[in-house]
């Protein structure tokens, strides 16, 4: 029997039906596949432990706590995601010394739901939230497990001050091993900076810190009422234990800048911070707080809060700079500015550093906007003045270790420098994007020299600006 021709209207109906069937098949396949897991990471720390699931599409999830019988368990249900070998690897990523997680079990709870059961070592206040793609990351589902009764940083500081000093531990990241005899430690190489990056001025003279102090004194005297014909007596030195807050930039999900040899800024900053902390802890007149002492992320506002909780006298945030041109080099010190950055480069760097919370992953729904007051407005100018003095003292000492990228203290609106009652500086130790300086930053001896220079700057600052007396009750 010969095939009968199909009339045009019927042919159109068949074509539409076939297209609908194909579309339904594609949609069903897409829905069944859901999100694909790209990576799993665990960041244990004394403040909290973070579990990260990185995936290519938004993920539906729910969670609840089981407290009816020990052990305490956090249950997380993930919808429309496959139970892959990569997800099962999360079990093996839990270290035995994790402060909060004892064990993780993973299984197929329903055909479309994978269940994670996290057995806990103690009671926690879990925060689970999803962050959008940013930087090198796709979507991330973050489990932040905070203790319900967090440790008091001031009591921890008191206990550490009475404990015997120990040598600085090695950084947790293996990406930055020491480099033997990469360059001479006594004399940095003389490589010209990039013209596009603004040429580095000549090194500061030994009197630059004194000149800065004099300029600030003149500006302050111009705004203060004159004393009634009576000379102001010199400030008497005050003997008390001073507290220094050391902040190792970046950490955990936020690696910071990365050099050509794969050196992560977060590893360098932690190593230098630990070495500086060891120098301060060995000083009988000082005690020290590290805002982070491991490879985990601390949000910028929390770094400031930690320093305020221990009534720190000074705050130092340690970083390693990066630039699009690999020949940019040198050390820079920054203080806060509320009236605009002192240069376009300083403004760009502040924007980049302030974006760390986006890279590190912060639960934005938990943010409360800071409340400004007249008291804060009065404190900030004095803090900036003191920070410029402090930065000038550190800059003078860094000159003996590395060439200076800027011969004066730069200023910009860094979020991490905004404690209104603490002189605060951010030290860009060197350019990790410069191959020569990256080698030096990987060198343990050079890291110690940087720590020593910052410590000497702290001492230099207190010689000129003795800490004020405090109430014995405080």
């Amino acid at each position: 029997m010969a095939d009968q021709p199909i009339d045009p209207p019927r042919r159109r109906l068949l074509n539409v039906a076939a297209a609908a069937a194909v579309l339904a098949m594609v949609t069903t396949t897409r829905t069944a596949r859901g999100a694909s897991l790209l990576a799993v990471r665990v960041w244990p720390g004394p403040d909290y432990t973070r579990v990260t699931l990185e995936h290519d599409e938004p993920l539906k999830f729910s969670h609840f706590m089981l407290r009816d019988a020990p052990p305490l368990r956090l249950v997380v249900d993930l919808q429309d995601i496959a139970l892959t070998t990569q997800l099962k690897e999360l079990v093996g990523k839990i270290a035995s010394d994790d402060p909060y997680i004892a064990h993780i079990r993973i299984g197929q709870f329903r055909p479309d739901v994978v269940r994670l059961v996290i057995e806990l070592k103690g009671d926690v206040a879990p925060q689970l939230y999803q962050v959008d793609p940013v930087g090198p990351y796709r979507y991330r589902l973050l489990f932040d497990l905070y203790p319900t009764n967090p440790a008091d940083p001031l009591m921890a500081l008191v206990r550490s001050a009475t404990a015997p000093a120990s040598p600085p531990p090695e950084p947790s990241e293996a990406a930055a091993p020491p480099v033997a005899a990469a360059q001479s430690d006594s004399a940095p190489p003389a490589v010209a900076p990039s013209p596009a990056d603004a040429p580095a001025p000549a090194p500061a003279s030994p009197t630059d810190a004194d000149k800065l102090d004099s300029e600030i004194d003149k500006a302050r005297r111009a705004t203060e009422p004159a004393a009634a014909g009576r000379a102001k007596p010199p400030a008497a030195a005050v003997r008390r234990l001073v507290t220094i807050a050391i902040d190792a930039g970046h950490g955990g999900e936020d690696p910071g800048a990365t050099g050509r040899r794969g050196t992560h800024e977060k590893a360098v900053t932690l190593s230098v911070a630990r070495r500086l902390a060891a120098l301060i802890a060995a000083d009988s007149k000082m005690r020290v707080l590290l805002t982070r002492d491991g490879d985990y992320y601390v949000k910028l506002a929390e770094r400031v809060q930690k320093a305020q909780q221990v009534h720190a006298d000074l705050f130092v945030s340690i970083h390693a700079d990066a630039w699009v041109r690999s020949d940019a080099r040198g050390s820079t010190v920054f203080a806060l500015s509320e009236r605009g950055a002192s240069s376009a480069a300083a403004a760009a760097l502040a924007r980049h550093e302030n974006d760390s919370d986006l890279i590190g992953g912060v639960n934005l729904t938990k943010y409360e906007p800071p409340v400004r007051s007249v008291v804060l407005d009065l404190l900030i100018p004095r803090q900036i003045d003191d920070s410029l003095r402090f930065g000038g003292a550190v800059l003078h000492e860094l000159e003996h270790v590395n060439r200076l990228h800027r011969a004066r203290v730069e200023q910009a609106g860094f979020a991490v420098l905004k404690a209104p009652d603490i002189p605060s500086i951010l030290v860009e130790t060197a350019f990790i994007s410069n191959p020569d300086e990256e080698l030096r930053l990987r060198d343990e001896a050079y890291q110690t020299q940087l720590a020593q220079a910052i410590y000497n700057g702290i001492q230099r600052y207190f010689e000129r600006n003795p800490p004020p007396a405090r109430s014995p009750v405080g």
Side-chain angles (χ1 to χ4, degrees), residues 409-424:
V409 180
E410 293 281 284
Q411 290 182 260
F414 291 92
V416 79
L417 302 182
K418 291 189 176 181
D421 51 343
I422 306 173
S424 305

Side-chain angles (χ1 to χ4, degrees), residues 277-308:
L279 292 171
I280 294 172
D283 190 320
S284 61
K285 303 184 293 296
M286 300 182 185
R287 59 185 182 179
V288 63
L289 165 79
L290 282 167
T291 61
R292 74 172 177 97
D293 193 13
D295 189 9
Y296 55 94
Y297 186 74
V298 179
K299 65 183 180 183
L300 301 179
E302 191 171 318
R303 298 169 192 248
V304 177
Q305 291 167 5
K306 285 187 173 186
Q308 291 175 310

Side-chain angles (χ1 to χ4, degrees), residues 155-177:
M155 292 305 298
L157 187 64
V158 171
R159 286 194 294 268
S160 65
T162 59
S166 58
E170 294 305 316
S172 59
E173 184 172 330

Side-chain angles (χ1 to χ4, degrees), residues 334-403:
F334 292 88
L336 180 65
S337 171
E338 286 205 319
R339 297 182 180 178
S342 54
S343 68
L349 181 63
R351 287 193 299 269
H352 172 73
E353 296 296 353
N354 291 346
D355 283 345
S356 285
D357 277 347
L358 300 178
I359 301 291
V362 171
N363 189 0
L364 298 179
T365 62
K366 298 291 182 180
Y367 260 129
E368 294 182 1
V371 179
R372 292 300 300 264
S373 66
V374 175
V375 174
L376 291 183
D377 290 336
L378 293 174
L379 285 174
I380 286 292
R382 179 60 184 264
Q383 187 260 35
I384 291 176
D385 282 355
D386 292 338
S387 299
L388 289 171
R389 296 178 189 273
F390 178 29
V394 171
L395 198 64
H396 172 80
E397 298 296 334
L398 284 171
E399 177 190 4
H400 304 299
V401 177
N402 192 19
R403 69 176 299 163

Side-chain angles (χ1 to χ4, degrees), residues 82 190 224 244 276 356 446:
E224 292 177 350
I244 314 299
L276 175 58
S356 285
Y446 187 61

Side-chain angles (χ1 to χ4, degrees), residues 35 78 203 207 231 294 349 414 463:
L78 309 175
T207 60
L349 181 63
F414 291 92
E463 287 173 1

Side-chain angles (χ1 to χ4, degrees), residues 182-250:
Q183 292 178 342
S184 169
D185 292 324
S186 59
V191 178
S194 165
D197 186 54
S205 66
T207 60
D208 276 351
D210 299 324
K211 290 179 181 178
L212 178 62
D213 287 351
S214 176
E215 291 173 2
I216 295 174
D217 282 335
K218 289 178 182 178
R220 181 175 292 165
R221 284 196 299 270
T223 60
E224 292 177 350
R230 188 172 55 190
K232 193 174 182 180
V238 178
R239 290 179 176 270
R240 69 170 175 83
L241 202 63
V242 296
T243 303
I244 314 299
I246 308 299
D247 173 51
H250 307 281

